[in-house]
Amino acid sequence: MPANIIETNHQPFQNERLDPISLDIIESALKNARFEMDTVLFRTAMSPGIREQHDTFPMIANEQGKMVVGQFGSFIHGFLAGYDGDIEEGDIILTSDPYGVNGAISHANDWLVLMPMFREGRLIGWASMFGHMTDVGGGVPSSMPVGASQIFQEGIIIPPVKIYRRGELQEEILELILRNCRLPQWNKSDFKSLVAACRVAERRCNEICDRFGTDRFIAAMRSLLDRNYQAMDHLISHNLPEDKLYFEDYVCDDGRGMGPYKIACSMWRENGKLVFDFEGTDPQSLGSINFLLNEEMFKMFAGVFLIMVFDPQIMFNDGFYDLMEVRIPDGCLLRPKAPAALSCRNHALGRIFDVMGGLFGQGSPDFLNAAGFSDSPHIMYAGYNSKGEWFQLYQIGFGGIPGRPAGDGPDGHSLWPSFTNVPNEFLESNYPLRIEAFETIADSGGAGLHRGGNGLRVTYRFLEPGEISVHDDRWLTYPWGVKGGEPGGRSSKVLERVDGSIEYLYSKQDHIQVEPGDVLHFNTWGGGGWGDPLERDPALVWRDIERGLVTLEGARRYGVVVGKDGAVDATATANLRKVMAAERGAVELFNFGGTVEELRARCKAETGLEPPRKPEVQRHVTVASCC
């Protein structure tokens, strides 16, 4: 049965006409409220992942559950359709069950708080915030086990539950949840911060109603949604083709020695709608790289991509959802059947952005961007310090953003624009480690007319015995280049033992024991290049050399020769470029660095690691075999 919203005031909202200035003021007020939600959370949470790195996602939705401001799009209408119970003023819902909200959150570490906003007995909207908890129990510290085969191994799963009932905190439920976490004080603080952020949204929305009236507030929310629909309808009908386009990309491995896993998608325009069909995506993994892709979330990803490319002035919200249709086969990597493991889902999540870039760019090559740092790699380090106190580090790594029509990709940047780095001083003050290098990796950005951003090298020296886990990807496949641009450099993880031995780690690995003095080089990948590198201004190449972003040897990828005097040799450069252009021939739209089979054959020589074997398929999965 669908949720039953209990309202004591059944007077319908009146249709109000808003002048453009009032609508703009309300729009700005809602945007400010959304950012204030973040500010409150960051200032009151305890875990570095939320407080320092900002791994959170806020939302304010209208009374029907459609997101008006936020990031990930709304899951509320789907949640309400499946929630069997009453919802009334003062209630707050908490959940960490991805299968219970159809992938609106994507693994058990994400705690989602949902609060209905009432005014004078009527529901006027919804506030929501979810954040990544550093630990929720499970088989490894930080609760993201590479080896998990079911979600039950990944920590406590909270079904949609009223954690506040009519304004009263359900203390016993909260204590039961916290008892299953390694860092209960952090979780408790972060949970209350999520609630505080939602209360801020409720307060600000009521202040808007005080100023403009409730009916005008409701009308403004609807107008903002309608305006988005009209703008996106125009954008889709005038910029995207009716002919079917197809693109595929890969997650390199599943942490169990199998891979790569294909993500395939077709896109076309039909009867005024933009259709995305993931037919051809590989079956779900036996491991934990499955990603339960929420259709509304994907629509938001696609919508934001379109807006940023074609018209950044459009405020993205849920208004355009009826203009898109998303088809995902049951049992595939993006629609796994419960209780499939999800803890390493970030690799498939990130690869979705590369797939979208490849699809949209084929229809409008001038807007095509290369593949980039489409992931949120992690390092986890846990143990007991010299005082016998438990420590636990969870950190997100950054890498190279792809080359684009607008210019070079940023170096050492996050996939998510709002994420920030944890200061090295903070890490060294709070954890038994030293950061011995924090630098971009020269030449790891793909060469191009517009260079791909460089990956990042962080070197950790561990000062206490402990256990580390690493999560990353793109160690086998390359972040591809476009329109003549070259692929970016791969990722790698190298562990130097205090005894002098060296270990090349796979990109997804748990239970790595470290001793004082061991050093880990955590190298992320670069972004692919955009456009012919032989057309790049030699002065820009020389500037990159001066900045340490490109080496003298790497400059030759651009056909640039540096003389003995340290300056660009214009004559030698022109001659070299002619030779390189003749040998290369015509440039290709995509440069993947080789086929999957070619990459397998070269894997050991290029990475020092054995290639993954072809994936095995669970017997109950019915989608087409990946093999």
Side-chain angles (χ1 to χ4, degrees), residues 336-362:
K337 297 181 178 181
L342 304 172
S343 55
C344 293
R345 91 289 179 229
N346 48 297
H347 313 297
L349 188 163
R351 201 66 73 254
I352 291 293
F353 291 94
D354 286 338
V355 170
M356 284 194 299
L359 281 172
F360 289 126
Q362 290 180 64

Side-chain angles (χ1 to χ4, degrees), residues 159-209:
V161 61
K162 285 187 181 182
I163 196 68
Y164 280 84
R165 186 181 295 271
R166 300 193 189 113
E168 293 294 326
L169 175 62
Q170 306 301 291
E171 295 276 3
E172 290 183 347
I173 296 176
L174 182 60
E175 289 305 315
L176 185 152
I177 295 168
L178 296 176
R179 186 62 64 90
N180 288 274
C181 306
R182 293 179 177 87
L183 298 167
Q185 191 59 37
W186 282 17
N187 290 62
K188 187 173 185 177
S189 173
D190 291 357
F191 160 72
K192 291 192 172 183
S193 298
L194 294 171
V195 172
C198 291
R199 294 199 189 283
V200 164
E202 180 186 41
R203 188 178 309 122
R204 296 297 176 248
C205 288
N206 271 287
E207 289 171 355
I208 297 172
C209 292

Side-chain angles (χ1 to χ4, degrees), residues 99 284 292 330-332 335-341 618 620-623:
Y99 292 107
Q284 67 190 64
L292 182 58
D330 287 334
C332 79
R335 181 61 61 78
K337 297 181 178 181
Q618 292 172 307
H620 70 275
V621 175
T622 57
V623 295

Side-chain angles (χ1 to χ4, degrees), residues 18-238:
L18 280 173
D19 61 276
I21 294 177
S22 295
L23 182 61
D24 283 349
I25 292 173
I26 294 174
E27 176 187 359
S28 296
L30 288 169
K31 287 181 178 179
N32 288 339
R34 168 252 188 273
F35 287 112
E36 190 177 357
M37 292 172 73
D38 279 341
T39 300
V40 168
L41 181 59
F42 302 153
R43 290 184 176 180
T44 55
M46 287 186 67
S47 67
I50 291 180
R51 188 182 68 245
E52 302 292 338
Q53 297 216 269
H54 302 173
D55 191 356
T56 63
F57 299 91
M59 176 178 67
I60 299 174
N62 74 348
E63 81 283 7
Q64 297 174 337
K66 294 183 177 181
M67 189 191 81
V68 179
V69 292
Q71 288 177 263
F72 260 22
S74 177
F75 59 92
I76 295 175
H77 64 281
F79 167 78
L80 295 176
Y83 183 78
D84 186 10
D86 297 337
I87 294 179
E88 53 192 316
E89 188 167 1
D91 289 348
I92 297 179
I93 309 295
L94 171 67
T95 185
S96 68
D97 181 8
Y99 292 107
V101 290
N102 192 32
I105 52 174
S106 53
H107 65 162
N109 288 77
D110 289 335
W111 284 13
L112 184 149
V113 168
L114 174 63
M115 185 176 75
M117 299 187 295
F118 285 82
R119 179 178 175 85
E120 298 172 345
R122 291 187 293 180
L123 181 70
I124 62 168
W126 300 83
S128 178
M129 176 73 87
F130 76 79
H132 179 102
M133 298 292 150
T134 295
D135 191 277
V136 293
V140 297
S142 297
S143 313
M144 298 168 63
V146 170
S149 59
Q150 295 185 342
I151 193 172
F152 305 116
Q153 298 164 284
E154 299 172 353
I156 187 168
I157 304 164
I158 309 167
V161 61
K162 285 187 181 182
I163 196 68
Y164 280 84
R165 186 181 295 271
R166 300 193 189 113
E168 293 294 326
L169 175 62
Q170 306 301 291
E171 295 276 3
E172 290 183 347
I173 296 176
L174 182 60
E175 289 305 315
L176 185 152
I177 295 168
L178 296 176
R179 186 62 64 90
N180 288 274
C181 306
R182 293 179 177 87
L183 298 167
Q185 191 59 37
W186 282 17
N187 290 62
K188 187 173 185 177
S189 173
D190 291 357
F191 160 72
K192 291 192 172 183
S193 298
L194 294 171
V195 172
C198 291
R199 294 199 189 283
V200 164
E202 180 186 41
R203 188 178 309 122
R204 296 297 176 248
C205 288
N206 271 287
E207 289 171 355
I208 297 172
C209 292
D210 290 339
R211 178 176 179 182
F212 291 94
T214 304
D215 289 330
R216 300 188 83 197
F217 172 75
I218 297 295
M221 302 262 268
R222 293 173 180 171
S223 294
L224 292 171
L225 292 165
D226 290 342
R227 187 174 70 183
N228 179 274
Y229 179 93
Q230 298 298 329
M232 290 292 288
D233 185 37
H234 179 84
L235 189 154
I236 290 171
S237 62
H238 286 77

